[in-house]
Amino acid sequence: MILANMYLQNVDVAMADQTIMEVAEIAPTDPEVLWTMASIYERKGESDLAAQTAYQAFLRGVDTADDSVLNWVVDYYMERELYPEVVELYEAIVEAHPERTNLLSSLAVAYTYTGEFQKAYTLVLEIIDLFPEEEENGQAFLESIKPYLEN
């Protein structure tokens, strides 16, 4: 795995691909293996396969501190209007990082895309309770979805 990443960093995509495929035979569902595979697919210009593999890596708990990495996967699914996958992705990441208000807020917005306004409402109330500095933004969001809530 380290070897595959080293090849990838040195722009030897073919060797990285060959190496990670050997590793994948041993650990096909390992999140780090999946993540490396996604990176290789992305470098090879195979964006569909890259996003789908990255999605699986996130669901299995790959951890990346770089939000831009998460954003390109989310953007892939949003552009295709695959909103349940966006929700599932954010739920998995929020489970690992419940302290990250930006991810919690993004999950609340994702819930609105799937019509789960009550879940969005409840989550934003939790965000406000846990992070009082988010009250103003949270209240504005709650007001914006009130018309969609069942009475």
Side-chain angles (χ1 to χ4, degrees):
M1 178 96 152
I2 294 170
L3 186 57
N5 281 318
M6 289 177 71
Y7 282 131
L8 194 57
Q9 289 173 1
N10 290 310
V11 195
D12 190 343
V13 177
M15 284 302 294
D17 192 19
Q18 179 183 337
T19 305
I20 199 63
M21 290 307 162
E22 291 173 13
V23 174
E25 288 179 20
I26 299 166
T29 60
D30 180 273
E32 295 298 328
V33 171
L34 290 167
W35 182 249
T36 302
M37 289 171 68
S39 299
I40 292 168
Y41 293 141
E42 195 270 330
R43 286 272 183 94
K44 290 170 52 178
E46 298 176 15
S47 60
D48 290 343
L49 199 49
Q52 292 162 10
T53 307
Y55 175 80
Q56 291 302 317
F58 277 118
L59 292 185
R60 286 176 173 77
V62 76
D63 193 15
T64 177
D66 185 357
D67 281 350
S68 67
V69 172
L70 170 62
N71 292 340
W72 76 261
V73 178
V74 169
D75 289 347
Y76 173 88
Y77 286 96
M78 289 294 287
E79 288 168 6
R80 287 156 182 79
E81 298 181 6
L82 299 170
Y83 305 127
E85 286 82 352
V86 173
V87 166
E88 189 175 27
L89 187 58
Y90 276 124
E91 285 176 339
I93 296 167
V94 162
E95 187 175 318
H97 298 283
E99 75 286 354
R100 294 181 59 190
T101 57
N102 63 321
L103 296 176
L104 290 164
S105 299
S106 294
L107 175 57
V109 171
Y111 282 142
T112 67
Y113 279 91
T114 58
E116 299 173 278
F117 293 99
Q118 190 59 53
K119 277 187 173 182
Y121 191 89
T122 301
L123 179 56
V124 171
L125 288 177
E126 290 174 22
I127 292 169
I128 293 169
D129 189 44
L130 293 170
F131 307 98
E133 68 274 13
E134 296 295 327
E135 183 166 8
E136 186 176 336
N137 290 333
Q139 290 299 338
F141 179 83
L142 294 175
E143 283 300 314
S144 75
I145 65 170
K146 271 189 180 176
Y148 304 99
L149 295 171
E150 295 176 13
N151 294 327

